[in-house]
Amino acid sequence: MLDENCQTFVSDCHVRAAAELINHSWDPVVLSALRLGPVRRNDLLVRIGGISDKVLTQSLRRLQARTLVSKETAGHGGVVYRLTTLGESFANGPLAYLAQWAAEHQAELA
Amino acid sequence: MLDENCQTFVSDCHVRAAAELINHSWDPVVLSALRLGPVRRNDLLVRIGGISDKVLTQSLRRLQARTLVSKETAGHGGVVYRLTTLGESFANGPLAYLAQWAAEHQAELA
DNA sequence: GCGACCGCCTACCGGTTGGTAGGAATCGCG
DNA sequence: CGCGATTCCTACCAACCGGTAGGCGGTCGC
């Protein structure tokens, strides 16, 4: 479904691949929140405001599947999530650039 | 819905604002396709493979509302869509960076 | 052991997105 | 005028995303 569409123009293929990383609306927010450092799940719920319990789990599952986030067990039946090297590369690179652009052009966006 | 969530950490607010620009899966593809130059609607349908007529219209409406894309009437009942200055800034900036990152890390992404 | 907390899972519901099909309005050409 | 091309709109449908509620099993402190 992605390959045959790449016939049209190649760069588009990479745009679609990248879009799938942030296409779920909460994923970029979770990645951005994890830039502040490793954090336990419940603290992540607080750090990100307004996300529901289930959605955070789903988002973390997706990000784990793409090896952007890793999970470690901690004491007290707790869990710590942190960015992987790939995740840091994405969060500090394209995602940070995206946020910076949005900040600069904030006034121009309705 | 966005403001009160910005209490948590400020950069996150901009991430969410930027995410709304590419939240709809076809929008980045349309913007990327328009980077190749102004184009009529039907040609855009061909240039982008696999998009449906209705979805392209909806995507263009959203992008027009955000002043990323402008529409001009052309002869023969035709219409020409092109990127605005803001749209070019976004497509050549964050979007291009995103695609470049995806191309570089293509192998690491499942 | 018991209660509290934590992570996670399972329904269910509502809204949105994407796809298909059909048709209306407009313009230019033969 | 008849016709095709183009743009756009309206249903209708399937699939998905996000939210709510409730429950299950694990670990820790008491």
Side-chain angles (χ1 to χ4, degrees):
Chain A
M1 165 192 172
L2 227 140
D3 294 15
E4 65 268 18
N5 289 332
C6 289
Q7 300 167 348
T8 50
F9 53 112
V10 179
S11 70
D12 171 51
C13 177
H14 299 135
V15 168
R16 301 193 199 196
E20 285 181 4
L21 291 174
I22 47 184
N23 165 323
H24 299 269
S25 55
W26 281 109
D27 290 5
V29 180
V30 172
L31 286 173
S32 181
L34 284 173
R35 284 183 68 197
L36 301 184
V39 69
R40 286 189 304 128
R41 177 200 162 82
N42 263 9
D43 295 340
L44 200 53
L45 272 171
V46 176
R47 185 182 289 183
I48 308 170
I51 191 173
S52 87
D53 167 72
K54 190 193 68 170
V55 174
L56 176 60
T57 300
Q58 291 174 334
S59 180
L60 288 168
R61 290 280 177 281
R62 274 191 300 267
L63 297 172
Q64 281 181 80
R66 298 201 185 275
T67 69
L68 293 170
V69 167
S70 66
K71 174 172 116 178
E72 305 160 19
T73 60
H76 224 74
V79 180
V80 170
Y81 292 95
R82 72 173 67 241
L83 292 177
T84 63
T85 306
L86 185 64
E88 279 185 9
S89 165
F90 184 73
N92 294 323
L95 200 56
Y97 190 20
L98 210 59
Q100 184 189 338
W101 186 92
E104 289 171 1
H105 296 82
Q106 193 173 3
E108 306 172 57
L109 296 172
Chain B
M1 165 191 172
L2 225 140
D3 294 16
E4 64 268 20
N5 290 330
C6 288
Q7 299 167 348
T8 49
F9 53 113
V10 179
S11 71
D12 172 51
C13 176
H14 299 135
V15 168
R16 300 193 199 196
E20 284 181 4
L21 291 174
I22 47 184
N23 197 322
H24 300 268
S25 54
W26 282 109
D27 291 6
V29 181
V30 172
L31 285 173
S32 180
L34 285 173
R35 285 184 67 198
L36 302 184
V39 70
R40 287 189 304 128
R41 179 202 160 82
N42 262 9
D43 294 341
L44 200 53
L45 272 171
V46 176
R47 186 182 286 182
I48 308 169
I51 192 174
S52 86
D53 167 72
K54 191 192 69 171
V55 174
L56 176 60
T57 299
Q58 290 174 334
S59 179
L60 288 169
R61 290 279 176 282
R62 274 191 300 267
L63 297 173
Q64 281 181 78
R66 298 201 185 276
T67 68
L68 292 171
V69 167
S70 66
K71 174 172 118 178
E72 305 160 18
T73 59
H76 223 74
V79 180
V80 169
Y81 291 96
R82 72 174 67 240
L83 291 176
T84 63
T85 305
L86 185 63
E88 279 184 8
S89 165
F90 183 73
N92 293 324
L95 199 55
Y97 190 20
L98 210 59
Q100 183 190 337
W101 186 92
E104 288 171 2
H105 297 82
Q106 193 173 3
E108 305 172 58
L109 296 171

